[in-house]
């Protein structure tokens, strides 16, 4: 029994390693390779980062693999593509199409975002802008001593003799304390806690 066999080219193509290359905002060259198992995510990362993806399909391009660091993919979809020397970058870029090379040499501009309705933060009512507006609930700055830092404290009581009963805003376990009004500071008007 004779069985004829014919060699037909398979429509299935196996993934091959890929080289990602491009320049950063300061025009410094970056390039790295990614193994065949990471081809699709690496191509997407290159597109997302404005870089080029070069498939390693020839021996000439394959020779770069030993001279390049391996890149790393992140969950964000981007990749870590380290710096390379300019000469190596130029050698690899020579294997790209003219259009792709030209695109990589164009300075990357930050995407223009249309201005949204800009609203300036409103100063909270508990941050007085003058000492005579300090009331119970106001937040002022106080210190433990001349060599200590200044921290936010909430006013618990305003006494007639010009003293304030205060509680540290962030240290509620510490007992309340008293300071003269000239021993506290106001929070700068441009400061608004986010």
């Amino acid at each position: 029994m004779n069985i004829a066999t014919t060699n037909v080219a398979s429509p299935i193509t196996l993934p091959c390693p890929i080289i990602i290359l491009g320049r950063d905002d300061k025009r410094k060259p970056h390039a790295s390779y990614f193994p065949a198992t990471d081809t699709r995510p690496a191509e997407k990362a290159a597109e997302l980062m404005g870089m080029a993806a070069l498939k390693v399909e020839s021996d000439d391009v394959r020779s770069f693999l030993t001279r390049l660091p391996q890149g790393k993919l992140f969950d964000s979809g981007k990749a870590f593509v380290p710096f390379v020397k300019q000469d190596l970058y130029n050698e690899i870029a020579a294997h790209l199409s003219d259009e792709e090379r030209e695109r990589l040499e164009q300075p990357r501009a930050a995407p223009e975002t249309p201005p949204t309705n800009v609203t300036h933060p409103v100063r909270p009512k508990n941050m007085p802008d003058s000492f005579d507006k300090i009331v119970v609930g106001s937040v002022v700055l106080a210190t433990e001593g001349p060599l200590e830092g200044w921290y936010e404290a909430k006013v618990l009581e305003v006494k007639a003799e010009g003293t304030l009963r205060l509680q540290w805003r962030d240290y509620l376990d510490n007992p309340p304390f008293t300071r003269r009004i000239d021993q506290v500071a106001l929070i700068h008007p441009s400061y608004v806690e986010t």
Side-chain angles (χ1 to χ4, degrees):
M1 173 179 239
N2 282 341
I3 299 176
T5 59
T6 59
N7 291 338
V8 177
S10 172
I12 299 172
T13 58
L14 297 174
C16 59
I18 193 165
I19 296 173
I20 303 296
L21 69 151
R23 294 186 184 276
D24 61 20
D25 296 337
K26 295 180 181 173
R27 312 295 305 137
K28 295 190 183 217
H30 294 256
S32 63
Y33 79 91
F34 293 84
T37 55
D38 292 337
T39 297
R40 286 299 305 138
E43 286 176 328
K44 288 181 181 178
E47 183 178 331
L48 185 63
M49 297 166 47
M51 293 187 165
L54 176 64
K55 290 186 177 180
V56 181
E57 296 175 323
S58 70
D59 289 336
D60 287 344
V61 176
R62 190 175 315 280
S63 69
F64 296 123
L65 295 181
T66 58
R67 297 168 56 195
L68 286 173
Q70 182 173 345
K72 178 177 174 27
L73 294 168
F74 297 119
D75 292 337
S76 66
K78 292 186 177 183
F80 173 64
V81 182
F83 293 114
V84 293
K85 295 194 182 270
Q86 183 65 50
D87 294 340
L88 178 58
Y89 177 86
N90 290 340
E91 288 178 49
I92 299 168
H95 293 274
L96 295 171
S97 68
D98 291 340
E99 304 87 43
E100 194 71 10
R101 250 192 334 271
E102 188 175 316
R103 182 183 68 81
L104 289 178
E105 294 306 316
Q106 296 299 318
R108 293 193 317 193
E112 285 192 33
T113 55
T116 57
N117 292 338
V118 177
T119 58
H120 297 286
V122 177
R123 183 180 179 82
K125 294 191 185 321
N126 64 348
M127 292 185 187
D129 56 4
S130 68
F131 287 99
D132 58 343
K133 293 183 182 176
I134 294 176
V135 294
V136 173
S138 294
V139 177
V140 295
L141 297 175
T143 184
E144 288 284 328
L147 299 177
E148 300 294 326
W150 289 78
Y151 302 97
E152 294 177 353
K154 185 175 180 179
V155 177
L156 301 177
E157 183 182 1
V158 179
K159 298 184 180 179
E161 63 273 3
T163 60
L164 305 171
R165 187 88 176 133
L166 304 169
Q167 172 73 49
W168 296 118
R169 191 193 76 169
D170 297 328
Y171 304 100
L172 298 176
D173 293 339
N174 291 356
F177 57 97
T178 303
R179 294 287 185 274
R180 291 190 326 261
I181 201 158
D182 63 340
Q183 293 176 319
V184 298
L186 301 176
I187 297 173
H188 192 276
S190 67
Y191 172 80
V192 175
E193 185 174 19
T194 55

